[in-house]
Amino acid sequence: MTGIQATAGHLLQLIRNGDATTRGELQQATGLSRSTVGHRLDQLFQAGWLRRSTGTSTGGRPSARLEFDTSHAVVLVADLETRHGRAAVVDLAGRILAERTGDLVIADGPETVLDRLARWFGPLLAEARTDAARICGVGLSVPGPVEWETAQIVQPPIMPGWDRFPVRERLRDALSEHLNTPAGLPVFLDNDANLMALAEQRAGHPDCQAFVLIKASTGIGAGVMVGKEIYRGIDGGAGDIGHIRLHDRADALCMCGSYGCLAAVASGRAIAEQLTAAGVPTASGSDVRAHLAAGQPDAVRLAREAGQRVGEVLVTVVTLLNPGVLVLAGDLAGTPFLTGVRELIYQRAMPRTTAHLQVVTSLLDDRAALMGAAAMVIEHLYSPDRADARLAGLEPVGQAH
């Protein structure tokens, strides 16, 4: 890194990554003079983003270490599912300070859902012993395709009324109304599988350069990490594997209106319908999960068969991407589903493709999307360019992307 590049934001990145945590190390890493490093550190201290700690002594005077102050602000995060939602207040280290899960039906539409969600955060802030003035951003996970640049949900099969709705602006307004937050509070949103992949990769497989997560719940989606970054495709449509057509199921009508989609055959919704038809009343993927936990024989059999059908599609996915880790997550991601996926992948993919592939289940479970939403906000707000703009006061508070 040259001195020209080493702005205050770049120094912050070096400190946050642990690459340079003393003034001397920052000078060495950047080539900047002592006075320039001091000036840029002063900016970071004045913003409240840094704190000092005493390093270990080797016999002389202990060196003063610099740390990112993860307590100076909080992030509001939420994960919307089809029938319930989860919300939390999170610090900048990704620690959950307060959390709530409750009924929140996505089909009720964005106005109702976003207003109700905003109302949840007041009590959560009180529980976390903080206030709205310390919120630096908001992250939202949704079960549909998201166009990242515009923060709009695009043609979501299981989110009626949400297509192109101004979610970011409406959630800002609702938070401003109920919490008295700034009208331009930064709000970010992304697809749930993408955010789960981000969180799982950061938490359990940080060195994996090609990483895939499959979320199998009401629908089926994939999150792909390439070079430690989310791969979204041109307009957020990457990973929508639930709508890949199966050659032998032209009779299966999908929520998207097409026939033969993987989600119409192997999702939690599809299994719920099959169980109900077999005399086991089941309303959703969450109910399927409960049946699996109880060892209900039909649910176990159908989950394994669903894993095999998903595995058929994943043979192509792993052959194309050659990932090091494939994580199975969501309501179906127990032993029967995992077994079915593994059977098909290792049976049909080339040995060269699977030689170094780990097929595992989620580490973060129900909190993966929340943790991913928090990481999305924090990594974006404190990236070098964004940090510099915020320090300089050049970027309006409400500039979300």
Side-chain angles (χ1 to χ4, degrees):
M1 181 180 296
T2 68
I4 294 175
Q5 294 174 316
T7 63
H10 286 96
L11 297 193
L12 180 66
Q13 184 178 51
L14 290 170
I15 294 166
R16 290 185 65 218
N17 292 343
D19 296 327
T21 58
T22 67
R23 290 175 183 258
E25 289 172 354
L26 289 168
Q27 285 178 247
Q28 186 174 6
T30 63
L32 296 175
S33 68
R34 180 179 177 83
S35 62
T36 302
V37 167
H39 172 70
R40 292 180 181 170
L41 289 177
D42 286 344
Q43 290 180 276
L44 296 171
F45 276 111
Q46 288 169 11
W49 295 357
L50 291 185
R51 62 188 172 200
R52 294 181 178 87
S53 67
T54 303
T56 56
S57 174
T58 57
R61 182 179 178 183
S63 58
R65 296 270 166 196
L66 302 168
E67 295 179 348
F68 181 54
D69 186 347
T70 57
S71 66
H72 79 264
V74 296
V75 175
L76 305 184
V77 292
D79 171 26
L80 300 182
E81 295 279 0
T82 52
R83 300 174 67 86
H84 70 274
R86 186 182 296 264
V89 178
V90 181
D91 72 11
L92 300 184
R95 290 184 292 258
I96 291 179
L97 305 178
E99 183 178 7
R100 170 179 174 172
T101 300
D103 293 338
L104 210 57
V105 179
I106 204 81
D108 286 346
E111 290 282 0
T112 299
V113 170
L114 296 175
D115 185 76
R116 190 173 302 158
L117 177 63
R119 292 175 184 272
W120 284 6
F121 284 113
L124 286 174
L125 287 169
E127 183 182 338
R129 297 183 179 181
T130 189
D131 56 49
R134 295 183 59 226
I135 302 168
C136 66
V138 182
L140 183 63
S141 166
V142 297
V146 175
E147 192 175 78
W148 170 255
E149 292 302 325
T150 63
Q152 290 188 332
I153 300 167
V154 182
Q155 298 179 9
I158 59 174
M159 300 178 69
W162 292 76
D163 184 30
R164 295 289 180 183
F165 184 85
V167 173
R168 178 171 60 193
E169 293 75 10
R170 181 66 188 93
L171 184 54
R172 279 179 184 161
D173 291 344
L175 290 169
S176 178
E177 177 184 351
H178 298 303
L179 301 180
N180 198 30
T181 55
L185 187 68
V187 175
F188 305 82
L189 61 150
D190 204 350
N191 169 260
D192 51 6
N194 284 348
L195 295 180
M196 293 168 74
L198 174 63
E200 294 282 351
Q201 191 269 347
R202 297 289 193 264
H205 311 276
D207 296 323
C208 184
Q209 297 291 322
F211 178 96
V212 176
L213 177 138
I214 303 302
K215 182 187 179 185
S217 289
T218 299
I220 300 174
V224 179
M225 303 284 294
V226 176
K228 301 187 181 182
E229 300 293 332
I230 296 172
Y231 178 74
R232 296 185 175 90
I234 293 174
D235 59 6
D240 203 4
I241 66 167
H243 300 286
I244 292 176
R245 308 286 177 84
L246 299 177
H247 68 89
D248 59 345
R249 287 304 309 271
D251 60 313
L253 176 61
C254 183
M255 289 286 291
C256 72
S258 297
Y259 286 86
C261 293
L262 178 64
V265 175
S267 66
R269 182 190 296 272
I271 293 177
E273 291 173 353
Q274 293 172 65
L275 285 172
T276 299
V280 183
T282 311
S284 66
S286 297
D287 288 348
V288 174
R289 183 175 188 163
H291 289 317
L292 289 171
Q296 206 283 332
D298 290 324
V300 170
R301 173 180 58 81
L302 290 170
R304 181 166 179 167
E305 291 174 1
Q308 292 171 335
R309 299 313 306 252
V310 173
E312 290 178 37
V313 171
L314 291 180
V315 169
T316 300
V317 172
V318 300
T319 301
L320 177 65
L321 297 177
N322 189 209
V325 178
L326 171 64
V327 173
L328 304 179
D331 290 330
L332 302 187
T335 300
F337 186 81
L338 173 67
T339 300
V341 169
R342 281 177 168 167
E343 283 177 353
L344 264 290
I345 287 179
Y346 289 110
Q347 174 187 337
R348 297 190 182 181
M350 294 289 289
R352 169 70 183 81
T353 304
T354 58
H356 303 289
L357 174 65
Q358 300 178 56
V359 183
V360 298
T361 52
S362 167
L363 288 173
L364 301 175
D365 200 24
D366 288 344
R367 287 178 165 173
L370 285 183
M371 296 294 88
M376 168 179 63
V377 175
I378 295 164
E379 292 182 15
H380 196 74
L381 287 180
Y382 293 93
S383 65
D385 291 347
R386 188 69 181 268
D388 287 330
R390 295 170 66 202
L391 288 169
L394 297 177
E395 180 178 281
V397 172
Q399 184 66 34
H401 291 316

